[in-house]
């Protein structure tokens, strides 16, 4: 009597539900992600083997590019608008809603206060093409043009919890860095973070 072989069935799995979940997750991450704003200037910091991470909240960043130009920024759009309002009140300026919105979207900037209103009045594409001259930090000249101290003061007024991080290009000259430090020390700020690139530690090194 011949052996009757059972009919083989190819296993099948309905992937419809899995695809729905995947698209829902993708949509969720797209809607909740916060895209990083473009920096005002490219800064290539020196590397270090430090494992300490700079906080990503309540942070004030002072950057120096390789030419020694100074750029400034703080996190949180509401704090940026509050800081701009403080500067406007101190300098007798006024900014409309469009200019405030443009400022709130900038992660950092390097424009003298006198040029800030005209800079913010440009559309986004035009601002991207403008080479920002940097924030004046000269305290030695007759004009005493140190606007960095004004931004630091009014940023801390907008958010007293701000912590300070300094990011200097590896080709930036020490006198430029010294001007930034002097500005901070003049406001009794002696504690800040230095932003560096990552470097592999040597064999046997421990971060104690």
């Amino acid at each position: 009597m011949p052996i009757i072989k059972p009919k083989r069935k190819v296993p099948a799995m309905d992937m419809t539900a899995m695809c729905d979940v995947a698209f829902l997750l993708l949509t969720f991450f797209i809607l909740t992600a916060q895209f990083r704003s473009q920096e005002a200037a490219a800064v290539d910091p020196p590397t270090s083997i430090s494992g300490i991470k700079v906080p990503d909240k309540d942070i004030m960043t002072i950057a120096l590019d390789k030419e020694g130009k100074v750029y400034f920024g703080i996190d949180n759009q509401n704090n940026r608008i509050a800081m701009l309002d403080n500067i406007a009140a101190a300098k007798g300026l006024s900014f409309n809603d469009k200019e405030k919105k443009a400022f709130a979207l900038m992660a950092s900037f390097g424009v003298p206060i006198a040029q800030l209103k005209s800079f913010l009045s440009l559309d986004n594409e035009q601002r991207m093409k403008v080479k920002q001259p940097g924030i004046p930090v000269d305290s030695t000249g007759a004009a005493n043009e140190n606007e960095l101290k004004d931004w630091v003061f009014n940023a801390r007024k907008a958010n007293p919890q701000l912590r300070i991080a300094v990011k200097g290009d590896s080709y930036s000259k020490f006198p430029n860095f010294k001007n930034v430090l002097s500005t901070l020390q003049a406001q009794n700020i002696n504690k800040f973070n230095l932003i560096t690139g990552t470097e592999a530690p040597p064999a046997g090194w421990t971060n104690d």
Side-chain angles (χ1 to χ4, degrees):
M1 183 175 179
I3 299 175
I4 301 175
K5 295 182 179 180
K7 188 177 181 180
R8 294 184 177 180
K9 295 183 179 181
V10 179
M13 180 180 293
D14 188 1
M15 297 295 294
T16 304
M18 186 68 72
C19 292
D20 289 342
V21 171
F23 279 111
L24 285 173
L25 289 174
L26 180 61
T27 303
F28 171 78
F29 286 120
I30 290 175
L31 293 176
T32 58
Q34 293 184 354
F35 295 96
R36 187 175 181 180
S37 304
Q38 183 173 356
E39 299 289 340
V43 176
D44 183 19
T47 59
S48 74
I49 58 176
S50 174
I52 301 175
K53 293 184 178 181
V54 176
D56 56 3
K57 182 181 179 182
D58 294 332
I59 189 76
M60 173 197 308
T61 305
I62 303 172
L64 292 90
D65 68 5
K66 60 183 179 181
E67 298 175 357
K69 296 178 181 177
V70 175
Y71 302 87
F72 185 84
I74 61 174
D75 67 331
N76 190 296
Q77 295 184 10
N78 292 330
N79 288 338
R80 292 173 193 163
I81 293 177
M83 176 180 66
L84 184 65
D85 288 337
N86 293 339
I87 281 286
K91 301 295 183 179
L93 303 173
S94 63
F95 298 92
N96 57 38
D97 292 339
K98 181 181 178 181
E99 293 164 348
K100 290 181 180 180
K101 183 177 180 180
F103 186 81
L105 295 175
M106 294 193 303
S108 62
F109 61 94
V111 182
I113 295 175
Q115 303 174 21
L116 185 58
K117 187 173 179 64
S118 59
F119 178 73
L120 295 176
S121 65
L122 301 174
D123 59 45
N124 186 57
E125 185 176 350
Q126 290 175 321
R127 282 197 303 273
M128 295 285 289
K129 296 179 180 178
V130 174
K131 187 175 181 180
Q132 301 182 40
I135 296 174
V137 292
D138 184 14
S139 300
T140 60
N144 191 25
E145 296 179 346
N146 188 338
E147 295 182 359
L148 178 60
K149 63 178 177 58
D150 296 321
W151 286 111
V152 171
F153 175 81
N154 286 288
R156 298 178 78 195
K157 185 177 178 181
N159 181 7
Q161 305 302 321
L162 283 175
R163 288 162 287 185
I164 301 173
V166 179
K167 181 180 181 181
D169 194 278
S170 55
Y171 290 98
S172 180
K173 303 298 182 182
F174 178 73
N176 300 319
F177 187 73
K178 184 179 178 182
N179 287 338
V180 172
L181 295 184
S182 299
T183 300
L184 296 177
Q185 291 173 346
Q187 299 190 43
N188 295 320
I189 301 173
N190 297 296
K191 183 179 180 180
F192 52 86
N193 296 285
L194 286 175
I195 300 177
T196 60
T198 56
E199 180 180 335
W205 182 85
T206 58
N207 188 18
D208 294 333

